[in-house]
Amino acid sequence: VVRGSLAKTQLLLRGSLAVRLLVSALLCLAATASLHGPVTRRSTSSILRAVPRSRCATMRGGEGDTAKLIAETEEFVRKEIAACDASHDWGHVDRVRRGALKIAALERLADAGGDVLVVELAALMHDVRDYKYSGSDVAGVDAARAFLAERGVPDATVAAVCHVIEHVGFQKEKKECGGAFPAGEAPLGPPTELACVQDADRLDAIGAVGIARCLTFGGARSRALYDPDAPLSDPDAPMFQEGKATTLNHFHEKLLLLPELMKTKTGREMAGPRRAAMVAFLETFQREALDDFESRL
């Protein structure tokens, strides 16, 4: 919430209803953008730059339809994932949505010609009927396409959302790379809707939240927590396949690789500390589960 000189500004501008309405609008935008400080020319520009394009629709008269679509999408997704375990629940979806919108704002996606509405819709629906739960590679995309089409969403927007959903996954990208990712960090390019959602989804798979989600998913599938003698899974056998991997192996098979696969500068910067948190966890687990006992033999 904007503080500081706000009270003085409002007193000075009391005689102009139009200007007072503008100040109120900026306050709302500041709250949306999570900015702080006095209202100045510089802070006003920062507020407007930080708010995603779909959030500025109020000024153009389109917010009503957009808000209705988002609300209906949220309701649709909540119902679709109701039976999923806590690793892929509404909390995960909402974190990915918020993360994707933050990345889109910081990467200036709208300025690069991207559509923030596509980012939000794709982030919300990226795990609907996911293969891990449905057993189908196309069920999620088909469900999203049907949902959006029924609500009269333009074909171009539907296609863009479905493109993100279809390509956001780790295994999908690995297959597109011929079964193995190139060595080193992925190149950073201009921001895209896919990059914003994909980086946000991967950020939620690493760090403290990622550790909790990995353990939750492994437990839900009755995976062994760890086995010192279990080899890493074959590259074509992801963690969710029956009897193929332990939960702790999944860190080495996928999660520790994700920071180098980030497609945006923002995502890569946020991934560094989260990878460090996972390394610290694994080192502590190794010490507590194995080294402490072996040292006493």
Side-chain angles (χ1 to χ4, degrees), residues 113-297:
D115 190 337
V116 178
L117 178 59
V118 169
V119 169
E120 185 162 12
L121 291 172
L124 284 169
M125 294 191 284
H126 79 280
D127 270 341
V128 168
R129 304 184 194 180
D130 183 77
Y131 180 84
K132 293 185 289 296
Y133 299 93
S134 70
S136 170
D137 288 323
V138 299
V141 175
D142 289 347
R145 182 181 293 110
F147 171 83
L148 295 173
E150 288 172 359
R151 282 150 185 81
V153 177
D155 291 345
T157 301
V158 175
V161 171
C162 290
H163 173 77
V164 174
I165 295 172
E166 183 178 5
H167 293 86
V168 73
F170 178 82
Q171 294 299 327
K172 177 72 173 182
E173 184 177 3
K174 182 184 283 188
K175 290 179 181 177
E176 292 174 348
C177 293
F181 294 107
E185 295 182 335
L188 299 177
T192 65
E193 294 93 343
L194 173 59
C196 293
V197 178
Q198 190 176 65
D199 279 11
D201 188 32
R202 291 176 175 180
L203 284 169
D204 206 56
I206 60 179
V209 172
I211 293 169
R213 291 183 62 224
C214 183
L215 297 177
T216 298
F217 185 82
R221 297 304 174 95
S222 300
R223 297 286 178 267
L225 183 57
Y226 77 103
D227 181 350
D229 299 322
L232 298 182
S233 292
D234 181 89
D236 294 326
M239 177 185 175
F240 53 81
Q241 292 191 356
E242 293 298 328
K244 294 293 183 180
T246 68
T247 295
L248 266 291
N249 278 3
H250 190 56
F251 286 89
H252 303 282
E253 296 161 351
K254 175 183 176 181
L255 305 187
L256 292 172
L257 306 179
L258 295 181
E260 291 189 344
L261 298 177
M262 296 293 168
K263 304 300 190 302
T264 67
K265 182 175 182 290
T266 301
R268 189 159 295 169
E269 289 175 349
M270 294 177 68
R274 300 191 187 203
R275 187 184 192 281
M278 293 192 298
V279 171
F281 165 75
L282 292 171
E283 290 176 345
T284 302
F285 189 97
Q286 167 79 14
R287 183 176 65 253
E288 293 179 358
L290 299 174
D291 295 348
D292 282 356
F293 294 98
E294 292 178 355
S295 64
R296 297 189 180 101
L297 297 179

